[in-house]
Amino acid sequence: MRQEKKQVTDISDRPVIRNLADVDPVRAQQVAALRAHALSDPEAFWLEQAQRIDWATFPTAASAASFDGDVSIRWYEDGTLNASVSCLDRHLETRGDQPALIWQADDAAVSRTLTFRELHAEVCRLANALRGLGVKRGDRVAIHLPMVVEGVAAMLACARIGAIHVVLFGGFSPEGIGERLIDSGAVAVITCDFSRRGAKRIPHKTTVDAALAHAGTIGAVKNVIVVQVTGDAVPMTEGRDHDYTTLVSPQETECAPEIMRAEDVLFLLYTSGSTGKPKAMVHATGGYMVWAACTTDWTLSPQPGKIHWCTADIAWITGHTYVVYGPLLSGTTTLIYEGLLGWPQPGRWWDIVDRYQVSCLYTAPTAIRALMRDGDDVPREYSLASLERLACAGEPISPDAWEWFYTVIGQQRCPVADMWWQTETGGGMLCVIPGAQPMKPGWATTPLPGLSAVLTNEKGEIIEGATEGALCFTQSWPGQARTIWGDHKRFRETYFTFSPGKYFAGDGARRDENGYYMITGRMDDVINVSGHRIGTAEIEDALATCHSVSEAAAVGINHDLKGQGIVVFVVARSAKVAPPVDELSRVICERVGRYAAPERIYLVKDMPKTRSGKIVRRLLRKIASGETENLGDLSALADPAVIPALIAAVGEQTITG
Ligand code: PRX
C-alpha cells in the first residue's frame, strides 16, 4: 500500500533551543527553504508534503480549492488511502513492539500500554465488529467516551472501515447529544457505563439512552456498543445494545482497510458558532492527514520512542489532531490520562510527566493558569527533566502564564509552541517553529509554511505592516474543513463573506514589525466602548500582570451612553487576599487606556467553563446584564454549579471600578 517515497525535508531532528531568542542556523535555514518552496511552487510543495503519509494511490495534483463563488475546497483529489494505515500499519514492521498508546487511569496504580501491534489488533477487532453490525463506508458513528483506550481505538476503527467518526463531548446534555445524533444521522454509538471525574461518576450510558429517546424516530441509531469503564451495571436494550468486550474480543485481529478517496469524509466534529445550533465541521481524509503530519512534525518534533502527552480530550479537535492522528502518524507514543488536573492532589500531572518520562507536553492556557495557582513549590518537587518541548493552544496565553510555563515547567530548557488554530483549520496555523525562529511570550508568532495569513480592516480589506485587524487566509490549506455538515450555505456565509475570497477566522490579531501575530480574541468578543474597539484579551492580559489575579474575563454589556461598557470578572489568586478593585481598574487604564475603564469588577470564585476549559463569555455577558433566567443550554459547562454562585456574587457586589 506504500508508494515510492521521496524524502520530505526532515526538520525534526535538530537540537533543542536554550533561550527565547536562540536559533539553530541549520534548522532556520531548512525552514526558510521550506517557506520559500511553498511560496514559489505551492503545488510541488503540497505534493511533497503529501509524502508524509501512506497512500494507496499517490495523488497527481494537490489543491483544487476556491474561496470564491460557492466555495469549494478539495485536496489531493485523485489520491486514495486509509487514515488508519498511516497511524498503525506503517509502523508494524519497524516498531510494532514499541508502545503506541499509554493509558494512565484516574487511579495512579492502574495503567495500560499498547504497542503498535496491539493497538492495530484492537482497532481491527472493533472495525470487524462494526462491519458485523452492518456499519459501512460513509456511515456516521458517534463516540461518547472519556479518555480511555477504546476512545482512540474507536476513532481508528471507524477510519479503518471508512465510517465517519463523530466524537461527542462527555459533558453534553442528553438533548445536546440527541440533536447531534439527528444532525449527523449516526447509525451507531460507542459509549460506556460511567466515566470518572474525581470522586464523581458521570453516567454515559443513561445519557445516551435519554439522547436516543430525545432523537426518537428521527434518529438513525441501530446499535450501541458499551465499554465497561467503571463496571457498574447499566440498563441494556436487547437487540440494540452490545457489551464491548463480548462483541469485540472474539473478532479477527486483521481487518482489510477500506480504501477511501482523499476527499471522503474522515470525521465530523461539532463546534459552537454564533448561533445556538451546533455545527459539524467536515474534515476530509487525505488533506487532514497531511496537515496533521506537517504541523505535528514542524512544531512538536515527535520522535519514535519518546512520550508525547497532549492533555486535550479526544472530543475536541486538539484531541483528534494532537492526541490521536498526529502523534500516531509519526510513530511516537501518545499518552492519555483519564483523570482530572490536580486530582486527587496538586502535582498529579507532574507525577505523570516524571513517571512516564514525558518528552512533549501540550496543554491549554487555562490548565497552565490552574497549575500556576498551586504555586511553584508543587512542580518543584518533581524532576521534569524529561521534558523537551511544551505547547499550548485553545485561547490566548498571557505573557506571564507563558513565562511560568517556560520557566517553572520547562526550566528554560524547552521551547513553548503557542499554537493558534481552530476546529475549522484541522491543525496548527500560527505557531513558532522552535529552533528556527525566536519565541515571543504571548504571541502565536508566524503562519506555518504554506499558509497565507493576512489582516483586514472591518471592511475586509487587507491591511499591511505592524497593525491590528481581522485574521484571514487568502489560500486554502490541506487540513481546512470542507463544509458544515448539511449546511454549505452557513459555511460560506460564516467564513467567506466577511472578506470575499478569503477565509475569515473570526479572530482578531495584532501583527508586529517582524510579522509575528498575537491573537487578541474572538471578534465577537470585541467590545466597542465609545467607538474604541477593545479586545477582551487586552483587558485580561492587563489584569494578568496583577499578582493578586488568577483569572480574569471581560465582557461587553449594553451601555446607554457609550454603546457598550466593560464588566470584568476576576478570580483571586488566593482566597485570602481579594485583589483591590481600584488597583485593577488603574492597571487596565494604564495598560490599555482610560477608555477601557470597566463599569464594574466582580470578584468571583470560579468562571463558567466548558470542559475543554474555555470561559463561556456568553453566560458572563448575560449575568453581567442582570439576566438570571433563560441562560440557554448549560450542558457544555464543566460545572453548572458555578452559575448560581456567579449570580449571587453579581447580586451581592456593586463594585464600581
Ligand atoms: O479564538 C481562537 C482560540 O480558539 C478558537 C478556536 O477554538 P476551537 O475551534 O475550539 O479550536 C481549538 C484548537 C486549539 C480560535 O478561534 N484559540 C485557539 N488557539 C489559540 C487561540 N487563541 C489564542 N491563541 C491560541 N494559541
Side-chain angles (χ1 to χ4, degrees):
M1 161 136 213
R2 236 187 273 181
Q3 80 288 346
E4 264 309 293
K5 279 211 158 182
K6 273 201 274 156
Q7 196 56 43
V8 180
T9 316
D10 181 8
I11 58 160
S12 58
D13 191 22
R14 301 297 313 161
V16 164
I17 64 157
R18 306 274 154 194
N19 283 307
L20 284 190
D22 266 7
V23 167
D24 164 32
V26 179
R27 188 166 161 90
Q29 190 274 327
Q30 286 172 341
V31 172
L34 208 62
R35 292 187 192 281
H37 186 204
L39 265 181
S40 64
D41 191 349
E43 182 68 13
F45 169 79
W46 289 119
L47 278 175
E48 184 180 296
Q49 297 310 316
Q51 294 165 21
R52 292 175 175 279
I53 64 165
D54 287 352
W55 297 84
T57 327
F58 194 77
T60 59
S63 175
S66 164
F67 289 171
D68 295 316
D70 195 39
V71 178
S72 163
I73 301 162
R74 301 189 313 278
W75 282 84
Y76 308 120
E77 264 191 301
D78 62 353
T80 64
L81 74 163
N82 182 285
S84 75
V85 169
S86 287
C87 294
L88 300 170
D89 306 52
R90 65 158 30 172
H91 304 302
L92 294 182
E93 223 174 88
T94 46
R95 55 183 76 93
D97 296 322
Q98 285 181 17
L101 178 63
I102 298 175
W103 174 68
Q104 172 58 57
D106 184 48
D107 178 346
V110 178
S111 67
R112 197 176 153 195
T113 300
L114 283 86
T115 62
F116 279 98
R117 206 175 309 288
E118 289 164 338
L119 183 59
H120 176 268
E122 182 72 14
V123 166
C124 286
R125 273 195 293 260
L126 178 53
N128 286 326
L130 287 169
R131 268 194 184 141
L133 293 175
V135 178
K136 41 181 207 320
R137 182 185 178 117
D139 282 349
R140 274 79 62 208
V141 175
I143 299 171
H144 184 249
L145 284 169
M147 294 301 279
V148 289
V149 165
E150 292 80 359
V152 176
M155 291 166 70
L156 294 168
C158 289
R160 191 82 179 170
I161 61 169
I164 298 170
H165 58 73
V166 190
V167 187
L168 299 174
F169 168 52
F172 286 145
S173 64
E175 294 78 24
I177 294 172
E179 270 174 49
R180 288 165 177 83
L181 291 177
I182 295 170
D183 185 71
S184 63
V187 298
V189 183
I190 305 175
T191 187
C192 65
D193 43 13
F194 290 84
S195 63
R196 302 182 181 90
R197 270 188 76 67
K200 285 196 218 139
R201 294 291 170 269
I202 312 295
H204 282 240
K205 174 63 167 62
T206 49
T207 302
V208 167
D209 285 345
L212 289 170
H214 179 81
T217 50
I218 323 170
V221 173
K222 303 276 180 308
N223 291 286
V224 178
I225 301 175
V226 186
V227 179
Q228 288 191 34
V229 170
T230 61
D232 294 301
V234 286
M236 298 288 276
T237 301
E238 182 82 37
R240 186 197 69 183
D241 299 350
H242 314 270
D243 173 64
Y244 179 96
T245 311
T246 316
L247 180 76
V248 171
S249 31
Q251 303 286 338
E252 293 289 325
T253 55
E254 290 293 335
C255 171
E258 187 80 25
I259 301 305
M260 309 299 289
R261 289 172 306 220
E263 277 302 307
D264 283 337
V265 179
L266 178 61
F267 64 88
L268 308 183
L269 191 58
Y270 284 91
T271 187
S272 10
S274 47
T275 71
K277 189 179 173 334
K279 57 178 175 183
M281 304 314 303
V282 174
H283 281 283
T285 311
Y288 170 80
M289 292 297 282
V290 171
W291 194 231
C294 289
T295 56
T296 307
D297 181 33
W298 290 334
T299 63
L300 307 174
S301 300
Q303 302 288 324
K306 298 224 167 165
I307 311 295
H308 167 99
W309 183 21
C310 170
T311 65
D313 194 294
I314 52 161
W316 308 115
I317 191 70
T318 313
H320 283 53
T321 310
Y322 299 115
V323 174
V324 181
Y325 288 107
L328 290 176
L329 267 164
S330 69
T332 196
T333 306
T334 187
L335 185 149
I336 58 173
Y337 167 48
E338 182 190 21
L340 291 176
L341 175 103
W343 168 268
Q345 75 280 328
R348 182 74 202 273
W349 273 25
W350 313 129
D351 174 60
I352 294 174
V353 168
D354 278 2
R355 184 180 300 199
Y356 294 103
Q357 295 290 289
V358 170
S359 155
C360 172
L361 175 67
Y362 185 149
T363 190
T366 189
I368 297 170
R369 289 193 297 270
L371 293 161
M372 279 172 81
R373 227 154 127 183
D374 294 337
D376 297 1
D377 290 347
V378 175
R380 290 210 163 115
E381 279 172 31
Y382 298 83
S383 150
L384 309 183
S386 59
L387 288 173
E388 292 177 285
R389 182 61 52 93
L390 300 174
C392 63
E395 54 181 324
I397 182 166
S398 62
D400 74 324
W402 194 104
E403 289 289 355
W404 184 84
F405 200 34
Y406 179 69
T407 306
V408 179
I409 305 308
Q411 303 169 347
Q412 299 196 341
R413 185 186 66 240
C414 313
V416 176
D418 172 7
M419 189 188 278
W420 173 89
W421 61 298
Q422 309 177 293
T423 307
E424 293 86 338
T425 69
M429 298 291 283
L430 304 178
C431 191
V432 74
I433 297 191
Q437 61 194 115
M439 297 180 280
K440 184 167 174 180
W443 291 65
T445 73
T446 50
L448 289 172
L451 298 177
S452 54
V454 293
L455 292 181
T456 77
N457 59 20
E458 58 272 38
K459 288 192 216 129
E461 298 156 349
I462 292 181
I463 47 177
E464 307 285 350
T467 183
E468 192 169 335
L471 181 60
C472 295
F473 291 83
T474 59
Q475 305 292 326
S476 182
W477 62 97
Q480 185 172 25
R482 304 306 194 243
T483 187
I484 292 173
W485 182 253
D487 199 348
H488 191 66
K489 181 167 174 274
R490 183 174 176 194
F491 181 68
R492 202 181 58 233
E493 285 171 358
T494 307
Y495 303 105
F496 301 93
T497 50
F498 172 78
S499 181
K502 297 176 202 69
Y503 169 76
F504 168 53
D507 278 292
R510 184 179 302 161
R511 185 172 50 213
D512 74 5
E513 56 291 346
N514 297 315
Y516 273 32
Y517 288 83
M518 187 191 88
I519 302 298
T520 50
R522 296 290 306 182
M523 299 278 288
D524 29 20
D525 285 330
V526 167
I527 306 171
N528 191 325
V529 182
S530 304
H532 297 284
R533 291 172 68 98
I534 304 164
T536 51
E538 286 176 67
I539 297 170
E540 292 156 10
D541 280 357
L543 289 173
T545 63
C546 302
H547 188 70
S548 54
V549 172
S550 161
E551 238 177 344
V555 293
I557 54 162
N558 290 339
H559 190 282
D560 284 349
L561 272 179
K562 303 176 184 172
Q564 276 190 305
I566 295 167
V567 172
V568 178
F569 290 81
V570 169
V571 179
R573 191 174 294 276
S574 149
K576 293 188 202 110
V577 191
V581 168
D582 290 351
E583 173 66 12
L584 300 183
S585 196
R586 189 184 60 75
V587 170
I588 295 170
C589 293
E590 252 178 37
R591 296 207 162 235
V592 188
R594 283 212 57 78
Y595 59 88
E599 306 300 314
R600 280 175 270 141
I601 297 178
Y602 292 119
L603 300 178
V604 295
K605 279 216 189 79
D606 247 320
M607 298 288 183
K609 285 184 184 163
T610 62
R611 241 178 80 184
S612 67
K614 287 226 169 70
I615 296 176
V616 186
R617 286 157 207 287
R618 170 182 69 81
L619 290 173
L620 286 180
R621 222 175 279 131
K622 284 200 172 188
I623 293 169
S625 308
E627 280 184 56
T628 54
E629 284 166 14
N630 303 325
L631 293 176
D633 183 10
L634 302 182
S635 64
L637 286 187
D639 180 13
V642 167
I643 298 299
L646 272 169
I647 293 172
V650 169
E652 281 159 22
Q653 300 171 32
T654 44
I655 304 167
T656 304

